[in-house]
Structure formats: structure tokens, C-alpha cells
Amino acid sequence: MQLNLLEKTELRIYGLHLRQVNLGTIAVKVAEALELPADGVLVVDVREDHVCLDILIKTVEMRQIMGKQKTILDKLRSIEGLTVTPEAYVDSAGIMGLIGCERMDAEEIVARSSQMATDIERRVLRRALVYATGFEVKQRMIEDTNSPFLMALLSRQGYEANFGGILEDDVHAITRALRDAAERGIGLVITTGGVGAEDKDFSVEAVSRLDPEAATPWIVKFQAGTGRHVKDGVRIAVSQYGLTTYVSLPGPHDEVEACTAALEKFCTAGRVDKRALADAIAEILREKLRHTAAGYEHAHRHAHSHRG
């Protein structure tokens, strides 16, 4: 289990007597005890009654620190000029305080913490939010039929689904809202609208800020600068930020409905395969576009033949 040290990275070792000791060696020995790189620990202060060190690595595995006090003191005993008294101990704050746990206590804490982490993850992955986007929805110019539809679908899939609200056509505002959802422990966030090629479409850009490796397949491409288009085409997006998966769908309700099969297959109140989901949605929408284009071409030819 990975632990973030949350800026509590200092540890103090009491009960040491030093005589012509190389401080770099102390740092190396402590790094060895904690299974860190040799340059991952630094001695930052020496006092009469203790030595203070700083852990330069911000994220560690629980096994690296849990119950490691005896290991640290044993490593220090091998240093020339350094005496470790029987009363020696390691003192630290925050997560680093786990160094001082007894071994049996440490194993019990690891087991309990692992179960807690699993339970928390399960609860997070079951929670979903649906957002609409766009001024036309916010100003009630059009009805938001997507959000009720998606919340009902997600509820059938086992999610606790709620409406998140209507997002502004602003990349910063959308990004803040999506990040906030992750921090609130939401496992799945779906947005509708804002995936087009106009200057007010920012959903894909927002999720890509949170996940630079977001899956953003093209639905249709065309030349930027033609008509209202300022981008090269229309994309959807599936991205992940921590435990949270973001799905950016188009705005037209028939297109959202068309994505039902993909959402039912991949969104099951658990971890989501972002690339598989993105590819499935993109293929559905491309196929729908092909049928629409074929239907339009057929109607156009039919009308032309009657005129002729």
C-alpha cells in the first residue's frame, strides 16, 4: 500500500553518541533500513541528544516504514564512531510514526489498513455524478434530457447516481468541477456536451488536463477554420484521475442514448478500462454518423431523381 508522507518527512533518532562520525553514512544506513535510494535521506541537524533526518521521498510503501525502528538502530550500530545506547529510539510525526510500531502491531495495522483501503475504494467506485454543459442548458433554452436518462441508466448499473449541475462553457470552470468531484470521492463522472469543434467546447480539454493520457478518439475530422469550427473535429474522451473515471459524451440526446450499450458493458460500479470504453463509444458514434450520412445521401438522390 502506497502512503503519501504529507510533508511529515522528518525523523529524529535519540540515544546516539557520536564521535567523528560521517553524517553521510548515517543517512545511507537509514536509507538502507527503509529500502530507499542512498540519496533519499539527508541528515539535517545534529544535537547532543538526537540526530534529525529528512526523508526526501514523498511517497513510500507501508512495508518500508512499518515497524522499522529496530532495523534502523541495528544498521546504525555498524557505523564507526557511533554508539547506539539501549535507550535509543526513533521519533517521528504523521505517517512516519509507524516506524516505531512493534512488528506484530505493524502486521495487524497493515492488514486492517488494506481492508479499509479496499472498502473505501469500493464505496468510491459506486458513486457517480452526471453533469450537463452549455449556456443553452443553463439558460433553459433547451431541456436537459440527458442527465435524467444517464442517472437512471447508472442506477440500474449499481451506482449511487446524482446530478452534479450545469457546467459553464469554460475550460477552467469545468476542470475545477471535475477535480472537485474526485476529491469528494466520486468514482464515475459523465459530462454531456462540449465535445464539438466550436470555440465554446471544452469538455475534452478539461478532462485531458486532469489526465494527460486520456483516451480521446476522433468521431469525425474536418478542416479547422471552416464555418464555426476552430478545432480539427469532434472527439469524445474517457480519462482517469485517481480512482475517478471521466466520460465526456456529445450533447444530442440520440447520440447519448446510442452509447447505452458501451456504458452498460464497461461501467459496472467498479474500475473502468478507459481505452476500451472510449473505443466502444467512438465506434458507436462513428457508425451512427455513417448511417446518418448514408440516409442523407439516399434522400438527396431520391429527391434529385424526382426533380429530374
Side-chain angles (χ1 to χ4, degrees), residues 7 9 33 49 65 67 93 99 141 147 170 188 197 238 266 273 298:
E7 308 306 323
T9 57
D49 61 340
I65 62 174
I99 286 175
M141 296 169 63
S147 298
D170 179 89
L188 176 66
V238 181
F266 292 99
D273 184 331
H298 174 76

Side-chain angles (χ1 to χ4, degrees), residues 11 24 27 52-54 95-96 103 105 119 154 186 224 234 266:
L11 58 91
C52 181
L53 302 98
D54 192 29
I95 296 296
M96 294 299 291
R103 196 68 197 173
D105 291 341
D119 292 343
L154 294 175
I186 305 298
V234 176
F266 292 99

Side-chain angles (χ1 to χ4, degrees), residues 89-214:
Y89 67 94
V90 179
D91 179 62
S92 51
I95 296 296
M96 294 299 291
L98 296 174
I99 286 175
C101 291
E102 294 294 331
R103 196 68 197 173
M104 290 303 294
D105 291 341
E107 292 173 0
E108 184 179 354
I109 291 172
V110 169
R112 289 183 179 179
S113 299
S114 179
Q115 184 59 50
M116 286 176 59
T118 299
D119 292 343
I120 291 170
E121 177 177 316
R122 187 180 298 115
R123 287 197 296 272
V124 168
L125 294 178
R126 288 182 60 237
R127 302 178 67 202
L129 276 182
V130 176
Y131 287 98
T133 68
F135 76 93
E136 65 271 38
V137 182
K138 198 172 188 67
Q139 295 181 12
R140 299 183 181 276
M141 296 169 63
I142 63 172
E143 181 185 0
D144 176 18
T145 53
N146 290 327
S147 298
F149 173 80
L150 287 170
M151 284 188 288
L153 186 156
L154 294 175
S155 294
R156 295 195 299 271
Q157 292 292 100
Y159 288 92
E160 298 172 7
N162 290 287
F163 182 53
I166 304 170
L167 302 176
E168 301 282 351
D169 291 322
D170 179 89
V171 68
H172 303 291
I174 297 174
T175 303
R176 282 195 301 271
L178 299 185
R179 183 183 291 112
D180 179 66
E183 292 171 353
R184 289 162 51 197
I186 305 298
L188 176 66
V189 177
I190 299 183
T191 64
T192 58
V195 301
E198 298 179 28
D199 59 1
K200 66 181 182 64
D201 296 318
F202 296 110
S203 294
V204 174
E205 288 78 5
V207 297
S208 297
R209 288 187 173 195
L210 297 175
D211 177 9
E213 297 181 356

